[in-house]
């Protein structure tokens, strides 16, 4: 009886450990997901936005000039996909940092966005949450960095 109890406890511990290791909330996974976000803003795939944005997603653009919801981001991706293009030539990330606390990850860094005539450097901060086993983008804030004079 005692050995059955020990085996049961070991089984529970093994199950808990296996579950804990299956989280999407790792630095490598979040960085990859964030790089995919940049790629999908360059070459829009509406399915990515449908599956990776939280229902209450909000994107505050430069100086609150525009605020997007999940529906608005999907609609823009659908329009750009239908046209076969976005208005962006390139998006290059740098200095990407990830801070994870529990089921929340904050990603900060810079993105140089080239829409012509000259590229603009943006500082960003994005918030990802693990919801029902998936890491979803909940919030995005982008701010243009003034050119040095």
């Amino acid at each position: 009886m005692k050995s059955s109890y020990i085996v049961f406890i070991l089984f529970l511990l093994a199950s808990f450990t296996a579950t804990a290791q299956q989280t999407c909330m790792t630095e490598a996974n979040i960085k990859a997901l964030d790089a995919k976000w940049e790629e999908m803003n360059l070459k829009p795939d509406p399915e990515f936005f449908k599956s990776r944005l939280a229902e209450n997603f909000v994107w505050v653009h430069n100086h609150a000039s525009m605020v997007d919801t999940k529906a608005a981001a999907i609609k823009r991706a659908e329009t750009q996909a239908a046209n076969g293009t976005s208005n962006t030539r390139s998006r290059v990330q740098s200095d990407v940092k990830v801070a994870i606390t529990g089921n929340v990850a904050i990603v900060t860094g810079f993105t140089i966005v080239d829409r012509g005539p000259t590229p603009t450097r943006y500082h960003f901060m994005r918030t990802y949450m693990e919801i029902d086993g998936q890491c979803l983008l909940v919030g995005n804030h982008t701010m243009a960095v003034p050119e040095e004079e």
Side-chain angles (χ1 to χ4, degrees):
M1 179 73 169
K2 192 173 185 181
S3 62
S4 298
Y5 180 70
I6 291 172
V7 169
F8 179 72
I9 295 297
L10 289 174
F11 174 76
L12 285 177
L13 285 173
S15 296
F16 177 74
T17 302
T19 301
Q21 292 174 350
Q22 293 177 355
T23 181
C24 64
M25 199 53 65
T26 65
E27 182 175 345
N29 188 57
I30 295 298
K31 276 188 173 181
L33 182 56
D34 200 67
K36 190 73 171 172
W37 162 260
E38 291 287 0
E39 179 187 342
M40 292 298 103
N41 275 285
L42 181 61
K43 300 173 187 162
D45 177 359
E47 293 307 313
F48 173 84
F49 294 95
K50 290 175 186 176
S51 67
R52 289 298 174 194
L53 300 182
E55 290 306 314
N56 58 347
F57 169 79
V58 63
W59 181 353
V60 179
H61 294 263
N62 194 44
H63 298 288
S65 60
M66 183 169 70
V67 178
D68 279 334
T69 62
K70 179 177 182 175
I74 292 169
K75 183 175 180 179
R76 183 172 42 255
E78 288 172 341
T79 299
Q80 291 173 338
N83 292 339
T85 184
S86 75
N87 62 346
T88 305
R89 296 177 194 153
S90 67
R91 299 178 71 93
V92 179
Q93 281 186 307
S94 65
D95 300 320
V96 177
K97 294 178 179 65
V98 177
I100 298 173
T101 302
N103 71 334
V104 176
I106 304 295
V107 182
T108 59
F110 296 91
T111 303
I112 296 175
V113 178
D114 185 0
R115 290 189 187 101
T118 60
T120 303
R121 185 174 191 233
Y122 290 93
H123 184 261
F124 66 82
M125 184 172 85
R126 291 190 263 277
T127 304
Y128 293 87
M129 286 185 71
E130 185 171 358
I131 301 170
D132 297 329
Q134 288 190 48
C135 284
L136 302 178
L137 183 56
V138 176
N140 182 28
H141 185 263
T142 52
M143 181 67 65
V145 177
E147 291 183 30
E148 293 183 29
E149 297 180 25

